[in-house]
Structure formats: structure tokens, C-alpha cells
Amino acid sequence: IGYVLQILVPLWLDTPETYVPFAVFWATTFLLVSMISGVQQEISRAVHLRAPNSAADRGSGSTADEPRAAGDALVRSSIVFVIIAAMIAILVTAVGGVSLFGAQQWELGGALALACVGYALVAVLSGMFYGAEAYALAAGTTVLDALLRFGMLLTIALLGLGLVPIA
């Protein structure tokens, strides 16, 4: 989807004044997403280690309440990851938004925050599925995410909307 977007966006945003803010937005999105990408691996590891009958539980004398407590902590941690993702995007927008995004600072900053929160949610879900060894659900999450993004992009293109919806 990313490659398709990179090929098609210059056709919609055909002047430097419209394309450059999008290109900066796109690069900033990938920078921030890469900063929070470890969330998926950590969630996966935590779920796998706390799964019933996992190697961590066998012979450890753990009780039935321990996985539930670990699950509650995992949910709280996931919420914190999502909030931190949004805060990072807002901070980037507040500090460097005008130089990054020009006149559309807050519109693109909002889209950046949504992109980071969306990625954090996908990372948490995928991490939980991988940790639980539910590989079909993990793959489905990845495919569904790409299809939803492509569907939104196609809708925006067909409606002839501008830069902010594309972002």
C-alpha cells in the first residue's frame, strides 16, 4: 500500500506546495512508527510468557490469578503505549509543526497522531495474537489494516479530497 501511495499521491498533489508537506508527513509518520515498533514484540513476549501452560508457568507454582493480573497489567501497558504514541505526535507537531507541515500544521499533526495511535493499536493486537500463537488472527490483523487503509485512500481519491484526508 505504501508503494502504491507513493506512486499515486504525486498525481493528486501535483505542485511542490501541496506535495512537499505530504512527503514530510509521510516520512515523519514512518520515523515515529519505527520509534514505537518495539511495542509489538514486547506485547508478544509478555503474552507468550504468561500464557497458561507456558514454560514460565510449568513448575513455578503460579496460581490461576497470576495470568489474570498479568493480563490486566498488559491492558494497562497497552493503553499507556497508545497515549504515549499520541503525545509524541502532538509534541512533534507543537515543536516543529510549522517548519514540517507549513500552514497545515495542526491538520497534519492530527493525522500524525491518528497514524501513531492506529499503529500502536495494531501493534498491540498483533503482539497479543503472536504471543498467543494465534497466527491466523495476527495475519488477519495485518491484512485488514492494509485493506482499511487502502479503502480509505481510494475513497478519498474518488471524492477528490485534498492533502489532509490523504495523510
Side-chain angles (χ1 to χ4, degrees):
I1 300 298
Y3 292 118
V4 171
L5 187 68
Q6 287 295 322
I7 291 167
L8 295 179
V9 166
L11 300 175
W12 297 317
L13 307 174
D14 55 358
T15 66
E17 293 78 26
T18 57
Y19 180 74
V20 169
F22 172 79
V24 171
F25 166 82
W26 191 252
T28 305
T29 299
F30 276 92
L31 174 68
L32 294 179
V33 163
S34 69
M35 288 173 56
I36 58 175
S37 65
V39 169
Q40 180 178 335
Q41 290 80 13
E42 293 306 317
I43 296 291
S44 179
R45 184 176 296 121
V47 167
H48 184 71
L49 290 175
R50 296 312 311 164
N53 300 319
S54 71
D57 284 341
R58 278 184 241 131
S60 67
S62 65
T63 67
D65 291 335
E66 287 177 8
R68 179 175 171 82
D72 291 346
L74 188 61
V75 168
R76 286 191 301 274
S77 298
S78 299
I79 292 168
V80 169
F81 287 136
V82 170
I83 291 169
I84 289 172
M87 290 174 51
I88 289 170
I90 291 167
L91 181 63
V92 166
T93 301
V95 172
V98 172
S99 62
L100 289 174
F101 306 130
Q104 295 179 314
Q105 171 186 4
W106 291 108
E107 293 90 347
L108 290 175
L112 184 65
L114 286 174
C116 288
V117 168
Y119 174 76
L121 291 171
V122 168
V124 167
L125 278 174
S126 296
M128 285 194 258
F129 292 145
Y130 278 116
E133 298 179 2
Y135 301 120
L137 290 173
T141 300
T142 302
V143 170
L144 181 62
D145 177 53
L147 290 174
L148 287 173
R149 290 175 193 267
F150 184 73
M152 287 187 290
L153 177 64
L154 188 60
T155 301
I156 290 165
L158 292 174
L159 293 175
L161 302 175
L163 170 63
V164 174
I166 290 174

